[in-house]
Amino acid sequence: MSVDLADRYGTRPGRRPLVIGISIVIAAIAIVWVSWATWLQATPGVSSAINTWEVVDDHTVTVVAKVRLDDDVDTPVCRVQALADDHTTVGELQFTPVDGINEQTISTERGASSVNWIGCWSKDQPGAK
């Protein structure tokens, strides 16, 4: 005697195609978002790098940095810190850069031994680059 369970309990439509479809949609959204975030981070409107710095005396440090600005950048800002031997900040400068080489002088409260280039950003780009 053979019992067909479908006859005994009935059948319901499978949910497997629905689960697969939803999974594909979620994966596509995730791929688009990761691609967008990667492109946005890889092409900032403002990017910068410190070229050189020099301790002139106990109250002055000069910094030379290269800054790249896109044409549509709104309100670019750069920040640099002068640090003492004990790693405390002895001077800090925030300035509006120009596209290309930027030479800046930081006034310090005492002798500095190093420079910490924070970076540059704009109103539309919250993170320093």
Side-chain angles (χ1 to χ4, degrees):
M1 169 179 214
S2 157
V3 177
D4 187 11
L5 295 179
D7 290 338
R8 187 174 199 179
Y9 297 109
T11 60
R12 60 181 179 162
R15 289 190 275 166
R16 185 173 223 178
L18 178 65
V19 170
I20 291 173
I22 290 173
S23 298
I24 289 172
V25 169
I26 290 172
I29 290 171
I31 289 170
V32 168
W33 181 81
V34 167
S35 300
W36 170 79
T38 302
W39 177 83
L40 188 66
Q41 291 297 316
T43 58
V46 180
S47 61
S48 63
I50 190 167
N51 285 352
T52 62
W53 59 272
E54 178 185 5
V55 176
V56 177
D57 57 37
D58 281 347
H59 298 287
T60 311
V61 175
T62 60
V63 176
V64 178
K66 183 172 184 178
V67 179
R68 187 195 56 78
L69 302 173
D70 283 352
D71 293 335
D72 59 347
V73 169
D74 187 22
T75 321
V77 177
C78 295
R79 181 178 286 161
V80 61
Q81 297 175 328
L83 305 175
D85 286 331
D86 60 357
H87 303 288
T88 58
T89 302
V90 294
E92 187 169 1
L93 179 67
Q94 184 167 309
F95 64 95
T96 302
V98 296
D99 192 33
I101 300 297
N102 290 260
E103 184 170 343
Q104 298 293 320
T105 302
I106 306 170
S107 297
T108 61
E109 60 188 41
R110 60 187 167 108
S113 62
S114 64
V115 169
N116 181 24
W117 181 255
I118 305 295
C120 298
W121 62 93
S122 70
K123 189 171 92 172
D124 299 327
Q125 175 186 319
K129 299 285 181 190

